[in-house]
Amino acid sequence: MPNLVDLLGQISLFAKLRMAVAIAALGLAVAYAFRPTEQKLVLMRPVSLAAIFATVSGLFGGWIAVLGGIAATPDGHLATASLYRGIAESLTVGFVSFGLLAAAWMVVAIAGLRRHVTS
């Protein structure tokens, strides 16, 4: 059974770029935690939405690729291992991206709470 590092090494460049949007959201959250400004907080919403849309498109794109692979075979059957590998690749994008997005909002919440308590 491949682990998450193996799956990340096997996914496409396009899937990695989609996860980069979620990494950008986490980076913005960390920047907000160190230097909280209203501009960074306002920017978190559209960056989060971009990460959500990129993640959902990544999930659907992976499923489309798997279904296209099934349709491309002469008899309409795909090896079970290939089917599961394709589904796992598409779900990896969702798992990592939504996890990063959740971590980003936790950082923002904790930084906001810290800012509220100290003022």
Side-chain angles (χ1 to χ4, degrees):
M1 181 172 110
N3 60 21
L4 187 59
V5 175
D6 291 338
L7 285 173
L8 287 174
Q10 294 174 2
I11 63 174
S12 67
L13 177 64
F14 194 55
K16 289 176 186 173
L17 289 174
R18 284 181 252 174
M19 286 190 292
V21 179
I23 292 170
L26 182 60
L28 182 61
V30 170
Y32 174 77
F34 283 114
R35 201 170 275 226
T37 64
E38 204 60 37
Q39 292 172 336
K40 290 176 187 168
L41 189 58
V42 167
L43 192 57
M44 264 308 283
R45 234 180 237 158
V47 171
S48 295
L49 279 174
I52 290 168
F53 291 139
T55 302
V56 170
S57 75
L59 287 169
F60 287 142
W63 296 342
I64 289 168
V66 169
L67 293 174
I70 293 171
T73 59
D75 59 354
H77 290 74
L78 188 66
T80 306
S82 296
L83 175 69
Y84 290 153
R85 192 175 306 113
I87 292 171
E89 180 179 325
S90 67
L91 290 176
T92 300
V93 173
F95 176 77
V96 173
S97 295
F98 282 136
L100 288 169
L101 198 55
W105 277 105
M106 285 301 297
V107 169
V108 168
I110 291 169
L113 181 65
R114 188 187 67 181
R115 183 178 177 194
H116 180 70
V117 169
T118 58
S119 53

